[in-house]
Amino acid sequence: MSRYPFPGAGHDPLITSMVAGLPARQQPRWPDRSLLAPVHDRLARESPLVSYASVRELRGLLARAAEGEFCLIQAGDCVELTTECEPRDVERKVEMLDVLGDVMRTGSGLPVVRVGRMAGQFAKPRSDDWETVPGGRLPVFRGPVVNAPDACGEARTPDPFRVVAGLEAARCAVTALDRLGRGESAAPEDRVWTSHEALLLDYELPQVRRHADGGSYLASTHWPWIGERTRQADFAHVRLMAELDNPVACKIGPEATVDEVLDLCAVLDPHRTPGRLTLIARFGAGRIAGLAPLVRAVRQAGHPVLWMCDPMHGNTVKTPDGLKTRRLDAIMSEIRQCVDLLAENSERCAGLHLEASPDDISECEGAGCVPVRGPGYRSLCDPRLSLVQAVAAAAHWRLPVGAAA
């Protein structure tokens, strides 16, 4: 862990003053930080990927979701490849979101807000800085906006110019959404909204923009989220999100304490505004009971958060040969338990957060699929559901009896 040394150029000075020098986890070790200055400047000069008007519209939809008018599906790749942001790639991802949204609408009777893990999901947190490979150790792959997955020193060396490539790929994806009629020209209820984990500060900070209402927003995505590994209330990622007028989300897992979650809510939702903050539970089917005291504490503190279920990250296991996978039965079990637990504590599960692909992949176990190393296992980080498996998971999300509109 290090303290992020913000340079002056290419950053909103107000935001910089709020977070300068704070601890920042999961940041790459750039071999030459001086190369970042022109990268920051380029990102700061580019036109916004998303408008503040659209960000404000999404906050309105999420506020209505907090009142029970909508449910949510947030889905897409574990790590988005910059080479898979072309129009045909985006079209297939939108088709997947539409299928999953239709399943959830059938199960709930509610209209569905569709959110893609897309147009920026290029950086990944990792449990270790290093990976052991035949012949030695290499820096771990942190996503295509940082380095490459190939098992050699040159590929794994963080490259600042990949940050610019990430912006260009994100713009390609946003443009494709517009051409499909699912971008900012669409009615809010028909739009596909973009989201990603706001992890790489060298990508996010230069894309903070001032808006006409006098505040700041993150122009790299409609809906940024903070991961389980970077959710410390007094660290750089949370403090950055606290200064933005985007709706924000935060993953919480079984290690989260009541005090930690209440601190997060106090920082990210100080005015207790519906639609501002979403908490995404990622506990695992065997540990989901630990969510109950957190739900009760947040409710008692008066924070009108949206609760979502991420049934993926707490259910990762390894096959006997060391291949990471997830079992569909555990994923579906966590969904059912999460919905019931929230209802028992006078809250509702607003929707699902899934890692899934429209491709014919074999990365998770279930629905007739047994994952093995080969062409069907293509994820560069965590295993994703195939479309068939994602439909099965979405079908297990239900509003409790009497909760549907």
Side-chain angles (χ1 to χ4, degrees):
M1 181 179 64
S2 61
R3 295 180 183 273
Y4 187 74
F6 306 136
H11 295 89
D12 181 307
L14 179 62
I15 298 297
T16 298
S17 69
M18 297 291 183
V19 297
L22 292 177
R25 289 183 170 170
Q26 296 288 331
Q27 301 306 291
R29 298 177 180 178
W30 304 109
D32 184 355
R33 287 200 61 87
S34 68
L35 296 177
L36 286 165
V39 171
H40 293 166
D41 187 62
R42 165 74 183 276
L43 268 61
R45 286 187 288 104
E46 289 282 336
S47 59
L49 289 171
V50 302
S51 69
Y52 177 60
S54 65
V55 165
R56 191 168 49 196
E57 287 173 331
L58 178 59
R59 281 192 68 160
L61 284 181
L62 295 179
R64 293 170 64 186
E67 298 296 326
E69 295 183 39
F70 290 91
C71 60
L72 312 172
I73 180 65
Q74 188 175 23
D77 288 313
C78 165
V79 57
E80 183 184 17
L81 297 181
T82 52
T83 55
E84 294 184 356
C85 292
E86 297 297 322
R88 180 56 185 151
D89 302 309
V90 172
E91 183 178 9
R92 294 173 63 252
K93 293 173 185 179
V94 168
E95 290 170 350
M96 178 183 72
L97 286 168
D98 284 341
V99 169
L100 297 178
D102 289 345
V103 171
M104 294 186 71
R105 179 163 192 154
T106 299
S108 68
L110 294 174
V112 181
V113 178
R114 294 166 172 82
V115 186
R117 288 173 56 110
M118 65 192 309
Q121 181 54 20
F122 302 131
K124 288 294 294 184
R126 306 307 299 267
S127 57
D128 204 333
D129 288 338
W130 299 90
E131 178 185 4
T132 301
V133 299
R137 292 199 315 161
L138 289 172
V140 72
F141 175 57
R142 290 189 173 275
V145 78
V146 175
N147 56 6
D150 309 78
C152 67
E154 182 180 2
R156 294 293 180 87
T157 300
D159 180 358
F161 296 104
R162 286 181 166 271
V163 180
V164 175
L167 175 67
E168 292 171 345
R171 192 173 302 282
C172 184
V174 168
T175 300
L177 284 174
D178 288 337
R179 290 175 177 169
L180 288 169
R182 305 301 294 276
E184 299 210 352
S185 62
E189 295 84 353
D190 299 328
R191 196 171 302 172
V192 170
W193 306 89
T194 65
S195 69
H196 66 253
E197 180 176 358
L199 180 66
L200 182 62
L201 295 174
D202 290 303
Y203 181 79
E204 308 298 347
L205 274 162
Q207 296 193 68
V208 173
R209 301 286 190 269
R210 303 292 291 174
H211 59 72
D213 292 343
S216 299
Y217 82 105
L218 185 59
S220 67
T221 188
H222 296 108
W223 197 9
W225 80 80
I226 303 164
E228 169 74 357
R229 293 185 175 96
T230 54
R231 59 169 173 75
Q232 299 77 22
D234 55 350
F235 281 27
H237 289 88
V238 172
R239 291 294 170 172
L240 170 61
M241 295 296 108
E243 299 303 321
L244 303 175
D245 289 331
N246 304 67
V248 298
C250 185
K251 299 278 190 85
I252 56 170
E255 307 305 323
T257 68
V258 165
D259 286 344
E260 288 172 346
V261 173
L262 289 180
D263 285 346
L264 275 170
C265 290
V267 173
L268 295 174
D269 181 34
H271 305 297
R272 292 169 170 77
T273 306
R276 161 63 177 173
L277 176 61
T278 299
L279 295 179
I280 306 172
R282 35 92 79 218
F283 277 65
R287 304 181 71 180
I288 189 66
L291 176 61
L294 306 181
V295 174
R296 290 193 291 267
V298 171
R299 182 176 179 81
Q300 185 174 2
H303 291 281
V305 304
L306 280 163
W307 290 97
M308 291 182 69
C309 176
D310 170 359
M312 308 294 296
H313 287 85
N315 293 304
T316 306
V317 296
K318 287 189 176 181
T319 64
D321 68 347
L323 187 68
K324 285 203 298 187
T325 190
R326 290 155 173 165
R327 297 192 174 102
L328 183 59
D329 58 352
I331 288 169
M332 294 190 297
S333 174
E334 181 166 358
I335 293 171
R336 293 192 300 268
Q337 292 183 72
C338 187
V339 169
D340 290 344
L341 183 151
L342 286 164
E344 290 164 4
N345 288 277
S346 303
E347 292 288 354
R348 61 185 290 271
C349 182
L352 296 177
H353 182 116
L354 302 176
E355 290 184 341
S357 171
D359 297 336
D360 185 18
I361 56 172
S362 300
E363 298 174 0
C364 292
E365 179 182 315
C369 174
V370 178
V372 295
R373 298 183 191 277
Y377 195 105
R378 305 207 305 270
S379 176
L380 297 174
C381 190
D382 290 333
R384 302 161 294 174
L385 297 168
S386 68
L387 180 55
V388 170
Q389 292 169 331
V391 166
H396 272 68
W397 180 86
R398 294 285 190 275
L399 290 179
V401 174

